[in-house]
Amino acid sequence: MIILKDILYRVRMEAVVGNTGVTVNNLHFDSRKVELNDVFIAIRGSLSDGHQYIQKAIEKGALVVICEELPEQIINGVTYVQVDDSKKALAYMASNYFENPSEKLKLVGVTGTNGKTTIATLLYNLFTKAGFKVGLLSTVKVMVADKEYSAIRTTPDSVTINSYLKEMNDEGVEFCFMEVSSHGIAQHRTTALEFAGGIFTNLSHDHLDYHKDFAEYRDVKKRFFDELPVSSFALTNVDDKNGEVMLQNTKAKKYTYALKSYADYQAQILENQFTGLLLKVNEQEVWSRLIGTFNAYNVLAIYATAELLGLETLESLKIISELNSVSGRFQYVVSDNEQITAIVDYAHTPDALKNVLETINAIRTKNEELITVVGCGGDRDKTKRPKMGHIASALSTKVIFTSDNPRTEDPEKIIEDVEAGVQPQNFKKTMSITNRKQAIKTACQLAGKNDIILIAGKGHETYQEVNGERHDFDDLQIVKEFLKQQNK
C-alpha cells in the first residue's frame, strides 16, 4: 500500500478532484483487473479507450481514476486526477510505485529495426559469464538473474517493466539489458526509466502499419536518445545512414561503431564461414560463433558496450568467443546423410531477409541450391510484403511462399501480396504452399546433397497465430523431423 501523492511525483496534472492523500493498492490500466482501493489509469489505445471503462473500474473498487478527460459523473469518495497524457502518467506512477528501480542498476536499452534481441541477449550472457547478476527484457524471454519468465511483447507495459526491475533490485542485479521497440517509445513505456546507456543498431522498413511513414518511425527511435540523461552513453552504428541522426540532440556521451566508416569502435571481417566469424576489433582478433556481416555489427556493439560499462577488454573478447547464437537467430542443423543445412531465422523485415540471404550467398560455393521458405504476418504492415517477395526470389535459387502468422487475414491473400513483388525473370523459381508445415516438408524433399534451406520469419516463435488462437508450431523442430525422415 502506498499514498497516492507519493506516486504522482513528476506527473503533469491539469486538475484534481478529491483527496491525493488516500492510500492505494495496485495500478491497473485494464478495468477487468481492478480490485478494492486500486488506481485505474484510463488509456486511449488503437482498439479501445479506457475512458469508456471508468465507471466499470469504480464499480470494481477503484479508489482513484487517472484520466485525460474528467467524466461527466463524479462519484463522491473517488479521487480523479486529470493529466495531459495518461500513458506518460502511467510510466511515472509505475516507476514511483516500485521505488524507481531503474536508478538502482545499470539499465541499457537497445533499439533499431534488426539486432535488438541478439545484442541484448548476448550482453546478458556475457555479463553473466563475467560473474555479475544480470537482468534481461527481450522479445524471447525475461531473465531476473537466473530466473526465467516468458515474454509477451518486445517492450512490456510500464507497470510490468518496473515490477521486473524491482525484482531485479531485490535479487541484487547490477546490469539489465532491454530491447526498446518503437511502439514502446511511442507509447511512453520507457518514459521515467533511468538508462545508463542506449544502443542504436540500424533502421529499415518495419512497423509502417503503426507509424504513418518512415520519417515518423525514425523520429520515434531518435526520441529514445533525445531523452537519455547526461550521465549515460549513446552508442550508434554510423554505417547506417540514420546512425548520426540518433545522436543529434542527445545529452549522453556519444560513441560510434562501424565496419566501413571511421568510428570509435571498428571491426574488420577476416573470415566469414558457416562455423563463425574471425574479426579484427580495434586491432584485437576475436573468433565468434555467430555468422554473417550483420552479426559482425552485433559483436562489435556488444564489445563496445562491455567496454563502456567497465569490463576489461581481454576478458570480454574471451567471453565473446564463447557465446552461442540466440534462439531463432541463424540457428542451423545439418542432416547426417545428405549434409543438407537448414537455417531458421527470425528475418521478418525486407532488410533482415536480405541480410540473411546475402550472408548465406557469401559463404556458399554456388554449387548448391538455396531454398527459401518465407511468408508475412497478417494484420501488419502490408507494404513490406512485395519487397519480401522480391528479395526472396532474387537471392534464392528456389522459393516457397507460405503462411506465417496470418492472424485474422486470409493467408492466401497475404501470399498473393508477397508474390506481387516477384519480377518476371524470377517467377519460375517460386511456388506457393499455404500450409507452413507442408511448405517446410516440400523444401526438404526438394533439397539435395549439400543444399541449403532457409526458413524465415518466425525464428524463436513456437506457435502460429490464426484467428486469435495460437497453435503449437516450431520451425526448427519441424525441419529437424523432416530431415531425420530423409536420413532413414
Side-chain angles (χ1 to χ4, degrees):
M1 296 179 75
I2 193 165
I3 298 171
L4 176 60
K5 64 182 179 183
D6 291 341
I7 56 172
L8 288 174
Y9 174 61
R10 294 188 293 172
V11 174
R12 289 181 60 179
M13 295 177 282
E14 297 188 345
V16 176
V17 179
N19 180 12
T20 60
V22 294
T23 302
V24 297
N25 288 332
N26 297 309
L27 308 179
H28 290 294
F29 54 89
D30 183 341
S31 61
R32 294 168 296 185
K33 297 180 180 179
V34 171
E35 295 181 354
L36 189 63
N37 295 336
D38 283 348
V39 178
F40 174 65
I41 300 95
I43 288 177
R44 289 192 169 99
S46 55
L47 299 176
S48 63
D49 184 353
H51 290 75
Q52 297 174 356
Y53 300 96
I54 289 174
Q55 187 58 39
K56 181 183 175 184
I58 291 170
E59 289 169 3
K60 290 179 70 81
L63 184 62
V64 176
V65 172
I66 310 294
C67 53
E68 294 174 10
E69 189 178 323
L70 291 171
E72 291 181 9
Q73 185 183 6
I74 300 295
I75 307 295
N76 191 36
V78 175
T79 299
Y80 298 83
V81 180
Q82 185 181 1
V83 296
D84 66 333
D85 189 322
S86 293
K87 295 186 184 83
K88 196 181 285 188
L90 174 63
Y92 284 116
M93 293 176 73
S95 182
N96 294 332
Y97 182 89
F98 290 101
E99 300 172 353
N100 302 300
S102 62
E103 296 175 6
K104 297 165 188 166
L105 44 70
K106 289 186 176 177
L107 176 65
V108 176
V110 189
T111 196
T113 305
N114 303 313
K116 297 188 297 295
T117 302
T118 297
I119 290 172
T121 304
L122 293 184
L123 279 168
Y124 166 84
N125 293 339
L126 191 160
F127 276 77
T128 299
K129 282 176 177 282
F132 296 97
K133 280 196 171 183
V134 193
L136 172 68
L137 293 164
S138 84
T139 303
V140 179
K141 59 187 176 182
V142 173
M143 298 296 298
V144 178
D146 56 359
K147 190 174 182 181
E148 181 175 331
Y149 298 92
S150 59
I152 299 171
R153 55 173 67 90
T154 302
T155 308
D157 64 82
S158 301
V159 175
T160 303
I161 292 171
N162 282 281
S163 66
Y164 280 132
L165 292 175
K166 177 66 166 68
E167 187 177 342
M168 291 178 197
N169 290 169
D170 295 342
E171 291 295 322
V173 165
E174 297 171 73
F175 299 92
C176 176
F177 302 100
M178 173 182 177
E179 287 186 54
V180 179
S181 68
S182 60
H183 290 68
I185 301 165
Q187 296 170 14
H188 291 289
R189 296 182 212 154
T190 54
T191 298
L193 297 179
E194 183 82 11
F195 284 93
I199 304 166
F200 171 73
T201 62
N202 50 67
L203 212 61
S204 63
H205 187 123
D206 199 17
H207 300 309
L208 299 191
D209 54 323
Y210 181 82
H211 305 287
K212 66 181 181 183
D213 54 32
F214 188 83
E216 182 186 289
Y217 177 49
R218 177 200 64 212
D219 291 346
V220 166
K221 294 283 189 186
K222 179 179 176 295
R223 196 173 86 197
F224 171 69
F225 293 93
D226 292 349
E227 294 174 352
L228 287 175
V230 69
S231 59
S232 66
F233 67 82
L235 174 67
T236 191
N237 171 12
V238 287
D239 280 347
D240 187 284
K241 62 184 179 183
N242 293 290
E244 293 281 9
V245 174
M246 298 297 142
L247 301 183
Q248 283 176 355
N249 303 107
T250 188
K251 297 184 288 292
K253 298 178 208 59
K254 301 174 183 179
Y255 298 92
T256 56
Y257 68 99
L259 298 183
K260 304 170 187 173
S261 314
Y262 176 78
D264 298 307
Y265 296 92
Q266 287 183 284
Q268 179 185 357
I269 298 174
L270 303 178
E271 290 182 30
N272 185 8
Q273 306 169 5
F274 274 129
T275 51
L277 287 163
L278 180 62
L279 300 174
K280 193 173 187 179
V281 179
N282 282 11
E283 302 307 314
Q284 297 272 1
E285 285 192 13
V286 60
W287 174 260
S288 169
R289 295 173 186 173
L290 277 67
I291 302 161
T293 303
F294 61 97
N295 270 322
Y297 282 103
N298 293 337
V299 169
L300 188 53
I302 291 159
Y303 168 83
T305 304
E307 185 170 290
L308 291 170
L309 290 173
L311 211 59
E312 199 271 322
T313 300
L314 289 178
E315 182 184 14
S316 65
L317 287 171
K318 176 182 176 294
I319 298 171
I320 284 170
S321 69
E322 299 168 356
L323 298 175
N324 292 312
S325 63
V326 177
S327 174
R329 272 66 177 174
F330 217 99
Q331 280 187 288
Y332 68 94
V333 292
V334 181
S335 68
D336 293 335
N337 296 344
E338 297 291 306
Q339 294 295 291
I340 297 166
T341 301
I343 300 161
V344 172
D345 194 272
Y346 189 52
H348 64 289
T349 66
D351 191 56
L353 183 63
K354 183 170 179 278
N355 284 340
V356 172
L357 285 169
E358 286 182 344
T359 290
I360 296 168
N361 281 318
I363 297 170
R364 75 187 186 94
T365 65
K366 307 298 189 293
N367 294 319
E368 333 86 337
E369 298 279 343
L370 170 52
I371 305 165
T372 298
V373 179
V374 66
C376 285
D379 302 332
R380 297 293 186 270
D381 183 2
K382 294 182 181 181
T383 63
K384 72 180 181 182
R385 293 174 186 173
K387 295 180 181 182
M388 298 278 281
H390 167 64
I391 290 165
S393 58
L395 298 178
S396 310
T397 53
K398 289 189 178 79
V399 181
I400 304 172
F401 296 124
T402 190
S403 183
D404 189 288
N405 288 323
R407 299 183 178 89
T408 64
E409 279 194 73
D410 178 356
E412 294 188 6
K413 178 65 176 70
I414 297 172
I415 292 171
E416 285 177 18
D417 291 344
V418 176
E419 288 176 323
V422 178
Q423 294 184 351
Q425 69 269 25
N426 297 319
F427 178 75
K428 287 186 177 179
K429 295 181 183 179
T430 70
M431 67 176 76
S432 299
I433 301 173
T434 306
N435 183 296
R436 192 174 180 90
K437 187 171 184 178
Q438 192 64 41
I440 295 170
K441 181 180 180 182
T442 303
C444 293
Q445 291 170 334
L446 290 172
K449 190 173 180 63
N450 298 321
D451 285 349
I452 300 163
I453 301 168
L454 170 65
I455 305 168
K458 291 178 59 58
H460 65 280
E461 294 176 352
T462 55
Y463 62 84
Q464 193 170 30
E465 189 174 335
V466 184
N467 290 322
E469 288 188 28
R470 290 188 173 186
H471 307 273
D472 289 344
F473 200 98
D474 187 329
D475 283 351
L476 190 63
Q477 283 304 118
I478 288 167
V479 76
K480 278 181 180 177
E481 289 167 15
F482 285 133
L483 290 177
K484 195 174 180 181
Q485 287 174 20
Q486 285 188 212
N487 284 330
K488 291 179 181 177

